Amino acid sequence: MLKGLNKQQVTAIEAVGNILLTACPGSGKTRTLTHKIAYELEKSVESKKVIIAVTFTNRAAEEIQRRIRDFNMDDRTLWAGTIHAFCLEWIIRPYRCYLDELKNGFSISDEYNSERIINNLKTEYGLRFFDNVSTRYLPTGEKEEVTFRELLDEYHEILAKDKLIDFDQILHYSYKLISSYPKIASILKKMFHLICVDEYQDTQQLQYSILSSIIKAEGGSCKMFIVGDSDQAIYGSLGGVAKNHKEIEYEFQETFLSKELTGNYRSNQQIINYNKNFQITDVDILALGSNAQDRAIIKYDTEIDKDNLVVEIARIIEEKIGEGIPENEICVLAPNWYLVIPMGRRLKTLLPNVKFDAVGLSPLQKNRENIWFKIARLFLVSPSPTSFIIRKRWSSELLLELESFGITLFENLNFRSKKLLKVINSISSTNTDGIEHLEDCFSQLLDRLQINLVSNKLLNEQLTSFIDGAKKRLNNPDFDMAKDIHSFRKMFKHEEGVVVNTCHGIKGEEFDTVIAFGLLHGKVPNWNENNDIAAKKLLYVICSRSKRALYLFSETGRTTQSGRQYCPTNQLTTVVYNYD
């Protein structure tokens, strides 16, 4: 199983006890993590204890599960997902009866709904659109927000009235349960064999507290395998805390063996040397891949106007494809969606014969925790031998979530997920409009399952939020999104195309050619995190995605809401380098 791994990777995987693994870009972090999981799955097969993999994104969780399946291993004792999904499945839903706020039922306020409420309140309170209102909680149970506390209190009152909780309340109530009832943590510790945490450097303090409560609980022998890189900590403005070795040990009250992955199999040495301009730590990284000594292309343009930028990026894409670079080895990225989405749409228009993997261009992105998003993906991903396992898992998760709405489907517990899939697979619609197609499918599903929305207020409100949120994005002229069902289906298809995404969205991925634009002060870093270290870390993540070619743009012509011109990112303009 460990063939093909280097000595550092094997040592980390075979190490006994709690492990803190620091992994530089391109060092095979995900490969090491999945091999560790497979290694421990084999060891725990008799005990039936569960291995937990807490990832930063759903996409990362699915990638881990896919790789484990490629090992042809029994993954029934593996659970992978985000910290919010972990809290919902293992803490809140099983033990919600212990909290007055949740015992009578709840549903999740998705990103669209929470943004809508807060933006309306900002208008009422005379705040500006870009004024930041934190909804995070401290481990003490106190709300982090101080300046706009009255607005935040009213926001929470609105959620409570509709029996909704947002993402930060998922963490808050989970910690409240696990700290108020220590037996919960003890039960979980006895159930788990290993908890893996990916991208630990972007973990919030409250998330650390939830996981450490489990590890510090009485009984059980659960261990930790924590992986990350403090140089890639880019979620500081969202509460991410890049703890060092000593701080990790203090948090969990356990000894952690410190291991490193320092070899870079992704980038050539020239790219690695350029990235040192943004590296915060003094880790010496050596290129070990077959491309180690290849010549890199590194360009930086501060003169091109934003209106001419898309033509130049299209030219670079065509040039790279002409050189034989596969489309999926090219990435176009920017600091935020408001820059990415129009760029993606215009590139598709200029390059009709080029395929694009622009999953972020779907109107459904901001509704991922809405139950109707989870129903929609079962309709949007067509049945096939390759999709069967993932669709079956989605079906099982959906059945559990429906139970939180008071809806239990089918009597035979062993075949419920297959029965639900059979019902969904039998439903079709002739509507070509994406929203109308989904609404038709939803209606048919409700009829087949005999679910009455009128008598289930929470489920009905989730549907309204899901549809309204999607329509709002579709009708936003800045996004100019495709509205047909074929484009909706592409959201769940990882095509062999040019990736168009945000800097945060491509974290952990790699490409031959990276084209980054919008590298402007106020965007890198954003106004809410305006400091040198935050900017350097974001630039480090951007540049370290590239294997061989790096094109950087701080374009002119972009202005703030007050009409002031954006300037190039300071931390980039101060770099002394002989660009191509």
Side-chain angles (χ1 to χ4, degrees), residues 16-36:
V16 178
N18 300 302
I19 308 299
L20 175 61
L21 180 63
T22 301
C24 75
S27 59
K29 172 179 69 71
T30 303
R31 190 181 188 197
T32 305
L33 179 59
T34 51
H35 275 80
K36 175 66 174 179

Side-chain angles (χ1 to χ4, degrees), residues 512-554:
D512 174 90
T513 300
V514 169
I515 306 166
F517 68 99
L519 305 180
L520 305 165
H521 184 68
K523 298 185 182 296
V524 180
N526 62 47
W527 298 120
N528 294 324
E529 195 177 20
N530 191 7
N531 64 72
D532 180 69
I533 292 177
K536 281 189 172 182
K537 287 184 174 182
L538 193 54
L539 288 167
Y540 185 67
V541 168
I542 291 169
C543 298
S544 62
R545 301 309 96 196
S546 170
K547 298 176 184 177
R548 189 184 61 88
L550 187 59
Y551 296 83
L552 307 174
F553 292 95
S554 296

